[in-house]
Amino acid sequence: LLSAIKAQNKNTTAGRRETTPVLGITGTGGAGKSSITDEIVRRFLHTYADKTIAVISVDPSKKKTGGALLGDRIRMNSISSPRAYMRSLATRESDKALSKYVQDALDICKAARFDFIILESAGVGQSDASILDYANISMYAMTPEYGAPSQLEKINMLDYADLICLNKFDKAGALDALHDIRKQYKRSHNLWASKEEELPVIATIAAQFNDAGINELFDRLMEKVAEKTGVKFNGE
């Protein structure tokens, strides 16, 4: 199927394949990545009435059974739109955040001419940054419950992510966590003179209807898409 689609679209999609925005969402297990993804899909479909979106979600396989729950779609309510496509993949390995078939899935979505693609990884540890190999825009999702501030030094994606989403901001200690994460971001990017609200660290409550944080996250995301890929939806 992949070979047939590639051959059919070889001439018409060569340039497009290089610029198709692929948002990679990664983060700790239980950070609400699927809920964040669902809210981004909802806003994308509402904001751009003529655009299409694809979601590739990866869930971990259990070492004991080899099976995977593939439960991402349980959290998603926006993918029933005819302009949205969603596919679940299993890692097939217990210590991986992505499937080895991720690139094939992305190639198919690009060849099928989806306007925007989201790749959501399985829950990751502090050192994992494999999402960067597949996405041209990246987001790291986390919660206030990461432990002592010194743990932030160990999170690779805080150095590389285009956007950092501190989800479940209604949890105890969330304000302190936001301050510490922004301080760490300043340190790792040498941005000591930057104002905190200018940093790409956004507090969200994805489970809350019309959350102001998610609205800001989506706006900042579209700005990053235009900045890094040159793609501006609806001529915005």
Side-chain angles (χ1 to χ4, degrees), residues 136-153:
N136 42 32
I137 306 102
S138 60
M139 179 190 301
Y140 183 73
M142 59 189 301
T143 72
E145 299 162 335
Y146 53 79
S150 60
Q151 294 296 319
L152 297 173
E153 289 279 1

Side-chain angles (χ1 to χ4, degrees), residues 56-118:
I56 306 297
S57 293
V58 183
D59 265 333
S61 296
K62 296 189 69 175
K63 186 177 183 67
K64 183 176 182 180
T65 64
L69 179 60
L70 300 181
D72 294 299
R73 65 188 66 221
I74 297 173
R75 302 290 184 186
M76 298 185 188
N77 302 301
S78 303
I79 55 175
S80 60
S81 168
R83 293 187 288 120
Y85 168 80
M86 192 267 186
R87 171 73 182 183
S88 297
L89 298 174
T91 61
R92 298 304 180 194
E93 296 180 63
S94 60
D95 60 343
K96 300 293 184 182
L98 293 170
S99 163
K100 66 180 181 180
Y101 299 109
V102 159
Q103 189 59 62
D104 287 344
L106 293 176
D107 286 343
I108 289 173
C109 290
K110 291 176 182 179
R113 305 184 188 182
F114 281 96
D115 295 298
F116 189 48
I117 303 171
I118 299 177

Side-chain angles (χ1 to χ4, degrees), residues 115-165:
D115 295 298
F116 189 48
I117 303 171
I118 299 177
L119 170 62
E120 179 200 343
S121 81
V124 301
Q126 292 172 320
S127 63
D128 190 89
S130 57
I131 199 85
L132 299 173
D133 295 331
Y134 301 94
N136 42 32
I137 306 102
S138 60
M139 179 190 301
Y140 183 73
M142 59 189 301
T143 72
E145 299 162 335
Y146 53 79
S150 60
Q151 294 296 319
L152 297 173
E153 289 279 1
K154 306 176 184 179
I155 302 176
N156 265 335
M157 284 301 294
L158 292 186
D159 294 336
Y160 297 105
D162 295 301
L163 294 165
I164 299 165
C165 176

Side-chain angles (χ1 to χ4, degrees), residues 210-231:
N210 198 29
D211 178 56
I214 292 289
N215 291 337
E216 180 185 356
L217 182 70
F218 180 77
D219 291 342
R220 300 280 288 271
L221 170 60
M222 292 300 104
E223 290 173 2
K224 280 293 180 183
V225 168
E227 174 189 328
K228 299 199 70 175
T229 69
V231 176

